[in-house]
Amino acid sequence: VFTYGAACSAYAVAALWQQALGLLLHDAREQGIALSAVACNAAMHACEGGQAWDQALALLAAMPRLQVAPTVITYSSAISACAKSGGQWQWAVHILTSEMTAKNIRPNVV
C-alpha cells in the first residue's frame, strides 16, 4: 500500500490525476491490495492539481465501498480540490458542515 501511495503522490506533483486514480482504483485492486486513506488522500491531491474536483468527490464517495475510512486529511484534500478548481466553494462548505459532522470528524487548521 505504501508503494501505491508514494506513486499517487508522484502523480500528484505532476497533476496526473487520471494516472493516480487508475493506479489506485484499478491496478491496486486487481492486485488484491487493500487501499489506505493515505493512498486515497494522495490521489485526491492529484485531482486537486489537475482541477478535477468532481473526481476527488467521487473518490471520497467511493471510499466506504472500498472499505477505506476517510480521515480529517481526506476531507481536507477534498475541500482543497473543490476550492482550487474553479470556485466549487459550495461543495467545500457542504463537506465541512455536513459530511464531516455526520462522520463526527472535527475540522483542523492547516
Side-chain angles (χ1 to χ4, degrees), residues 26-76:
H26 300 291
D27 298 352
R29 292 188 70 209
E30 282 182 7
Q31 297 295 321
I33 296 173
L35 303 178
S36 70
V38 173
C40 291
N41 297 346
M44 280 189 203
H45 185 62
C47 291
E48 173 189 335
Q51 296 190 349
W53 63 273
D54 54 337
Q55 296 300 314
L57 294 184
L59 179 56
L60 178 63
M63 288 178 72
R65 181 177 46 81
L66 299 170
Q67 299 179 348
V68 179
T71 66
V72 68
I73 295 170
T74 306
Y75 287 107
S76 295

Side-chain angles (χ1 to χ4, degrees), residues 52-100:
W53 63 273
D54 54 337
Q55 296 300 314
L57 294 184
L59 179 56
L60 178 63
M63 288 178 72
R65 181 177 46 81
L66 299 170
Q67 299 179 348
V68 179
T71 66
V72 68
I73 295 170
T74 306
Y75 287 107
S76 295
S77 296
I79 289 168
S80 186
C82 291
K84 294 181 181 176
S85 296
Q88 299 297 326
W89 62 270
Q90 299 95 334
W91 283 107
V93 170
H94 172 74
I95 292 167
L96 183 64
T97 60
S98 298
E99 292 193 29
M100 290 180 75

